[in-house]
Amino acid sequence: MTHKPDLRWQLLLAGIAAVLVALLLALSLWPSFSATLTADRTVPAVNNPNVTRVAGSGDSSALCLSPDEIAALVPQIGGVVREGMVGAPRYLNPLLSDGNPVDEALVNLLFDGLTRYDNDGRLVGALASGWEVSEDGLTVTFTLRQGLTWHDGEPLTAVDVAFTYGLIQSPDFPFALADKPLWDAVQINVLNDQAISFTLPTAYAPFLAATTRGILPAHLLSNISAAELPTLPFNVTPVGTGPFVVGNNWQQEGELFLLPNPLAWPVPPYLDGLVMRFLPDEAALLEAFAAGELEAVRRLSPTAAPDALILPEMRLYTTPRARYAQLLFNQTENGHPALRDREVRRALSQALDKQALLDISLNGQGIPFEGPYLPQSFAYSLNLPLNLAPNTAEAGQRLTTAGWSLAEGAGFRARGAQGEEGQEESLSLTLLAYDTPANRALVEQLTAQWAAVGVELFWSLTDDLPTFAASLRDRSFDVALVDITPAGDPDLYDFWSQEAILDGQNYAGWNRRRASEALEAARQVWNQDERRAYYEAFLTFFEEDRPAVTLFQYVDNYGIWAGVQGVDMGEVYQPRDRYAGFVNWFFASDDC
């Protein structure tokens, strides 16, 4: 299950004459927007020799250059990097991209919101230079940065912002956006070209997260209705403000050409741009790379990473992903009665060796941690909840103390004289999971690790997402394995409050009044440091009760051909982070 309820961009000004002259000289080297794309791995030349990637040509030594020689190269100007991704776009539109990973990734490269999240999980300005909250906490006023323009050169103003959010408010908006009910309750007021205010019915700090959504150009779309949005040619060849510009019609040409936006790069990149190619699955990605048809592959799964590593000239970069796996303990009347005992839940957590789970089921492709907040969230706490070290002896003792004993010669624990017939009750749990190869391998390991402390596990697997979601809502499980992609804002009221048991996604049925109060209070203060204090209180109660155990954070693997030089990839929190160093990418000649 994925909860989807996330823009790095840079604009530096040259202030002195020497820097301005250097910038003008650099701009004179920019490739035109009509750069030609080739079908093989021959890079279009702009004052540089062709660079041809030969399929299966071995490691980087095939470039006939040592690492020191590569470091000493004078980068050549020109060329495109062809990158493959699984799936295809539907709408290159920030109002229509939710739920399609390809759309979400590409939209992040093309559009900016008023705000974005930095690498510490804090909101900072993107199109906005800043914002202020009124004394009553109901009105938020944003000031736009000076000199903002669209990819087509037209100025961006507060009118564009009001137009975008006004489309969401429209009764005939055609998609069920998670934040539409929020926007429907907001009053939008354009103060001038550079300022816009939003008035809420009540103080609600998570509102700011909604302003990370990309803004649309009113000068191109103001004559259309919200209902017409999905039918527009704009969704194929959009105009945004992000670091890349759409250079072709991908539906006609079968691939998407992205050019660097000159205003986003203080110094022009060496490369002409990126070509995005869309393939049906990871096997096709790796096959295309091996055949010399791609220079890069995007977001390889843990199961595909070993196959990628053995490909000639493949360099693999691994980065944490904003997604984690968690086990929910059903504490309602539908769940096993043992799970209403916090000591049993703690014992089940302590019995798990998370690293072993990863090593065996996901080829070690993950990061063990304890949630419910990812480390990049400002609400994350290193010691709350505690990441219990695996200890089967202590876990077994906890279960015995809780009344679940392991009789001599018995395979699993039980407690005696339960029910009208006085029968023993066994510690046998049903685990619900979405049926994928990775999840099946993970469930097998969970079964073995809990069996080591005398807990029997039965499986309830389904490969139908609606059925899986219905089972969660009905609480037809004792333990549920879920994948969670959290929102940028740390508000978890809809997941762990008492109210969310009946009208939300508190599928574990965790009922702790003070935890709910902490989450509710955190919603009503705007200052992030003040909010963090409430989240620490919430985490204290989460640690005490252990309504769930987080297993690990997923990672993403990005592959790139060794012939692309200058690549230095850091952590990728949003798709554009992958290209933060794109300005330094270049091709080295293989003409030895």
Side-chain angles (χ1 to χ4, degrees), residues 181-206:
L182 172 61
W183 282 112
D184 286 345
V186 173
Q187 295 181 8
I188 304 173
N189 184 24
V190 174
L191 304 179
N192 54 56
D193 282 353
Q194 299 300 121
I196 186 169
S197 68
F198 304 98
T199 300
L200 287 68
T202 185
Y204 184 68

Side-chain angles (χ1 to χ4, degrees), residues 1-37:
M1 177 189 70
T2 301
H3 299 297
K4 289 185 180 287
D6 144 42
L7 297 148
R8 176 173 308 170
W9 71 292
Q10 301 174 355
L11 180 60
L12 302 179
L13 298 178
I16 60 177
V19 176
L20 180 58
V21 170
L23 181 59
L24 291 174
L25 288 174
L27 289 175
S28 68
L29 299 175
W30 275 76
S32 69
F33 279 19
S34 60
T36 302
L37 305 185

Side-chain angles (χ1 to χ4, degrees), residues 8 33 88 248 278 280 329 337 355 391 398 410 445 479 558 560:
R8 176 173 308 170
F33 279 19
N248 71 330
F278 312 112
F329 297 129
Q355 188 60 58
N391 191 318
R398 286 182 187 276
Q445 296 307 310
V479 183
Y558 297 90
I560 195 160

Side-chain angles (χ1 to χ4, degrees), residues 286-299:
L286 298 182
E287 182 179 346
F289 183 93
E293 298 168 0
L294 298 174
E295 281 79 41
V297 291
R298 181 183 181 275
R299 188 173 273 183

Side-chain angles (χ1 to χ4, degrees), residues 354-399:
K354 299 178 182 180
Q355 188 60 58
L357 291 174
L358 278 170
D359 290 343
I360 298 174
S361 62
L362 290 177
N363 299 309
Q365 295 287 298
I367 305 170
F369 91 108
E370 189 55 71
Y373 293 120
L374 290 171
Q376 60 259 40
S377 171
F378 77 81
Y380 173 76
S381 174
L382 183 62
N383 297 314
L384 287 174
L386 290 173
N387 195 358
L388 295 174
N391 191 318
T392 55
E394 286 190 16
Q397 183 57 51
R398 286 182 187 276
L399 291 172

Side-chain angles (χ1 to χ4, degrees), residues 197-499:
S197 68
F198 304 98
T199 300
L200 287 68
T202 185
Y204 184 68
F207 162 75
L208 291 176
T211 64
T212 61
R213 187 179 292 277
I215 301 302
L216 292 172
H219 71 281
L220 296 178
L221 302 174
S222 59
N223 62 340
I224 60 97
S225 68
E228 295 176 280
L229 272 179
T231 67
L232 300 180
F234 178 90
N235 302 321
V236 179
T237 55
V239 172
T241 58
F244 289 94
V245 178
V246 170
N248 71 330
N249 185 315
W250 72 267
Q251 286 186 340
Q252 294 176 359
E253 301 184 25
E255 58 188 20
L256 177 65
F257 186 21
L258 298 178
L259 304 104
N261 176 9
L263 295 179
W265 306 91
V267 176
Y270 300 114
L271 296 175
D272 295 343
L274 299 166
V275 173
M276 297 297 186
R277 290 190 168 174
F278 312 112
L279 292 98
D281 52 43
E282 290 183 317
L285 280 185
L286 298 182
E287 182 179 346
F289 183 93
E293 298 168 0
L294 298 174
E295 281 79 41
V297 291
R298 181 183 181 275
R299 188 173 273 183
L300 292 172
S301 69
T303 53
D307 293 331
L309 280 171
I310 63 175
L311 288 175
E313 298 183 352
M314 170 71 83
R315 290 181 298 180
L316 212 58
Y317 294 84
T318 300
T319 180
R321 185 177 183 182
R323 185 176 183 178
Y324 60 87
Q326 189 174 68
L327 294 174
L328 305 178
F329 297 129
N330 186 356
Q331 298 152 63
T332 70
E333 293 298 321
N334 288 4
H336 195 289
L339 297 178
R340 293 192 281 276
D341 185 336
R342 70 174 67 178
E343 284 303 302
V344 171
R345 300 193 297 270
R346 186 172 290 270
L348 292 172
S349 301
Q350 195 172 19
L352 297 178
D353 185 336
K354 299 178 182 180
Q355 188 60 58
L357 291 174
L358 278 170
D359 290 343
I360 298 174
S361 62
L362 290 177
N363 299 309
Q365 295 287 298
I367 305 170
F369 91 108
E370 189 55 71
Y373 293 120
L374 290 171
Q376 60 259 40
S377 171
F378 77 81
Y380 173 76
S381 174
L382 183 62
N383 297 314
L384 287 174
L386 290 173
N387 195 358
L388 295 174
N391 191 318
T392 55
E394 286 190 16
Q397 183 57 51
R398 286 182 187 276
L399 291 172
T400 299
T401 302
W404 297 93
S405 59
L406 185 61
E408 185 176 351
F412 300 103
R413 295 178 180 271
R415 65 180 182 184
Q418 298 297 312
E420 296 180 359
E421 299 178 1
Q423 297 177 343
E424 273 194 340
E425 185 174 22
S426 62
L427 190 48
S428 300
L429 306 176
T430 298
L431 185 142
L432 172 69
Y434 185 62
D435 195 2
T436 66
N439 275 356
R440 186 174 285 268
L442 184 57
V443 170
E444 289 177 352
Q445 296 307 310
L446 289 169
T447 303
Q449 291 193 11
W450 276 346
V453 294
V455 177
E456 187 175 21
L457 196 62
F458 294 102
W459 303 359
S460 176
L461 305 182
T462 176
D463 59 3
D464 181 69
L465 276 176
T467 300
F468 179 73
S471 296
L472 285 172
R473 290 192 300 269
D474 297 340
R475 298 185 174 88
S476 303
F477 63 90
D478 296 319
V479 183
L481 172 62
V482 295
D483 285 346
I484 297 176
T485 301
D489 190 273
D491 176 41
L492 293 178
Y493 188 86
D494 290 335
F495 298 93
W496 288 117
S497 70
Q498 291 174 310
E499 181 181 358

Side-chain angles (χ1 to χ4, degrees), residues 55-71:
S57 58
D59 59 22
S60 58
S61 63
L63 300 174
C64 303
L65 297 169
S66 70
D68 289 340
E69 288 172 325
I70 290 175

